[in-house]
Amino acid sequence: MLKYLVILLDDTAVSYCHYENTKTEKRLISLDDLKAGVLFAMKHNLTIQFVYPDYELPAPHKEAIETIDHIKMMSSENSQNSDADVIIFQSDKSFTREKIDKNREKILVVKSSKKALSGIGKIISENDGKITRLNLVLTDIETFTEEDFAAYKQFLEKIRETVEKQYRNGQIPQINLLTDRILLEKMNNCNAGVENITLAPNGKFYICPAFYFENEEDNIGALSSGTDIKNPQLYRLEYAPLCRRCDAFQCRRCVWLNRKTTLEVNTPSHEQCVTAHLERNASEKLCNDLKSAGYFSDKEIKSVDYLDPFETIEKF
Ligand code: SF4
């Protein structure tokens, strides 16, 4: 069932996930389409996530946004971001101590290439206690090699040590890669196409922003005609033969990445599964180590002997 509507307010709206937004020309959603999007959300009882460009919106757009409950997602470079709920750092370069300090209570999203990970690990450990919630998003998972997996494992070990120290000091930070798996009881993936869809500045709906930025023709309907998802079952967990048996509950299970790498929205790539299992295994160690400090006594993450569920497919 749909729960969220993502509204891209402009073609230059900040990217908050695996995809890249290469559009540089402004195209603001029309006021009529914005109001129609708000009405659509009201009728379907959806929470709206507004994704902002870096420039200030006209007053009528701001007023329309405030007519409904919503979440504001803005770039760390947006000078208007003081009332944002989610701050997005496009790279390690913008993820600075000063900006972390300024946005302590907010959800921080950091997009990172594999090369930038060690720098981000250092910033996380240096900003001990200042981060409440951090979502780290890898931007080049599909290019990971065996060497990159080894480096990712080391990166996770480093931030695991930081998070463990914080818990022992009485702080409870949330870092998606490590703490989500401990807190979750079942799969909690992105669920684009099932629990959320996106309205783009052209007045059309898409599975997620990545589908829009990749190809505007790839829409699933329009404000004028409603939504029409072809083979909607394929986006659902029950129709993903590997994922439905997997216990890397924190995995984003990105359907756009799936299609890009395997040509099927419900079949993940080896790289997506291995990175998710390295995170899962680091969470397992964190969970076990923190039991002696009084945390997670009723939680158990069982050890598994594989990093890619595809390797165990004959056991299913
Ligand atoms: S790790 Fe692989 S199999 Fe498991 S949920 Fe993620 S994409 Fe699906």
Side-chain angles (χ1 to χ4, degrees):
M1 194 176 77
L2 274 183
K3 293 181 182 166
Y4 303 99
L5 177 65
V6 176
I7 298 188
L8 300 173
L9 292 168
D10 187 272
D11 263 4
T12 59
V14 61
S15 160
Y16 60 88
C17 201
H18 298 299
Y19 66 96
E20 196 181 348
N21 179 2
T22 53
K23 291 186 190 283
T24 52
E25 274 188 37
K26 291 178 185 173
R27 172 162 59 158
L28 181 65
I29 190 168
S30 72
L31 189 56
D32 283 348
D33 282 351
L34 177 57
K35 287 181 177 173
V38 168
L39 191 61
F40 178 91
M42 282 175 176
K43 278 185 183 164
H44 294 85
N45 202 19
L46 309 179
T47 301
I48 301 188
Q49 298 172 343
F50 289 108
V51 190
Y52 282 69
D54 278 357
Y55 64 87
E56 186 171 2
L57 300 181
H61 280 67
K62 287 187 188 174
E63 281 162 24
I65 287 169
E66 297 307 329
T67 58
I68 188 166
D69 275 351
H70 64 272
I71 292 166
K72 291 185 172 81
M73 304 178 76
M74 298 188 198
S75 153
S76 62
E77 304 308 302
N78 186 331
S79 57
Q80 316 283 316
N81 71 12
S82 58
D83 66 340
D85 304 284
V86 181
I87 301 285
I88 299 142
F89 297 84
Q90 284 298 300
S91 74
D92 57 319
K93 295 193 178 53
S94 53
F95 190 49
T96 61
R97 178 183 296 240
E98 195 188 19
K99 286 187 181 143
I100 292 171
D101 247 344
K102 193 177 139 212
N103 296 293
R104 272 176 186 238
E105 305 303 322
K106 297 183 175 170
I107 296 173
L108 309 182
V109 174
V110 183
K111 295 184 49 159
S112 175
S113 66
K114 57 193 176 190
K115 279 201 185 125
L117 282 173
S118 63
I120 286 179
K122 194 160 171 274
I123 296 168
I124 293 172
S125 58
E126 284 172 1
N127 285 274
D128 207 4
K130 294 183 186 163
I131 295 172
T132 309
R133 168 79 197 181
L134 174 72
N135 289 347
L136 193 143
V137 180
L138 289 168
T139 52
D140 50 7
I141 289 184
E142 68 277 19
T143 68
F144 269 53
T145 62
E146 289 303 318
E147 210 177 294
D148 298 327
F149 292 140
Y152 191 50
K153 190 174 171 186
Q154 273 185 0
F155 161 77
L156 290 166
E157 178 59 19
K158 190 171 165 58
I159 57 168
R160 186 193 61 72
E161 284 169 7
T162 303
V163 172
E164 184 174 336
K165 197 171 82 188
Q166 290 176 331
Y167 266 85
R168 289 186 186 279
N169 287 338
Q171 296 152 349
I172 316 277
Q174 286 189 20
I175 298 196
N176 66 331
L177 307 178
L178 288 173
T179 53
D180 282 7
R181 174 60 186 84
I182 301 176
L183 301 173
L184 290 168
E185 298 291 341
K186 60 183 176 118
M187 279 286 174
N188 184 33
N189 318 122
C190 162
N191 282 331
V194 179
E195 290 190 346
N196 64 83
I197 54 170
T198 291
L199 175 64
N202 61 0
K204 294 185 178 165
F205 292 109
Y206 294 82
I207 293 292
C208 83
F211 286 74
Y212 169 65
F213 288 118
E214 191 172 71
N215 177 9
E216 284 194 30
E217 299 302 311
D218 200 4
N219 66 75
I220 51 164
L223 281 166
S224 51
S225 53
T227 57
D228 177 23
I229 303 178
K230 305 274 181 270
N231 293 317
Q233 75 282 0
L234 293 182
Y235 297 91
R236 306 184 69 86
L237 183 63
E238 309 90 272
Y239 286 80
L242 284 174
C243 303
R244 71 179 183 221
R245 296 181 174 94
C246 179
D247 80 342
F249 297 158
Q250 87 298 340
C251 178
R252 292 189 78 81
R253 205 169 72 79
C254 174
V255 292
W256 173 73
L257 260 185
N258 287 354
R259 194 181 68 172
K260 187 174 172 190
T261 52
T262 69
L263 307 180
E264 303 280 356
V265 293
N266 61 350
T267 307
S269 66
H270 173 70
E271 293 79 12
Q272 186 159 190
C273 290
V274 174
T275 50
H277 277 77
L278 290 171
E279 293 156 12
R280 177 211 177 280
N281 294 349
S283 305
E284 179 190 334
K285 179 155 175 37
L286 179 66
C287 180
N288 289 339
D289 289 355
L290 282 174
K291 286 190 174 154
S292 64
Y295 295 101
F296 311 127
S297 50
D298 58 342
K299 280 278 174 179
E300 192 190 357
I301 303 177
K302 289 198 177 120
S303 296
V304 293
D305 59 1
Y306 55 85
L307 288 174
D308 182 346
F310 189 72
E311 293 162 12
T312 65
I313 201 154
E314 69 282 0
K315 290 186 196 161
F316 290 155

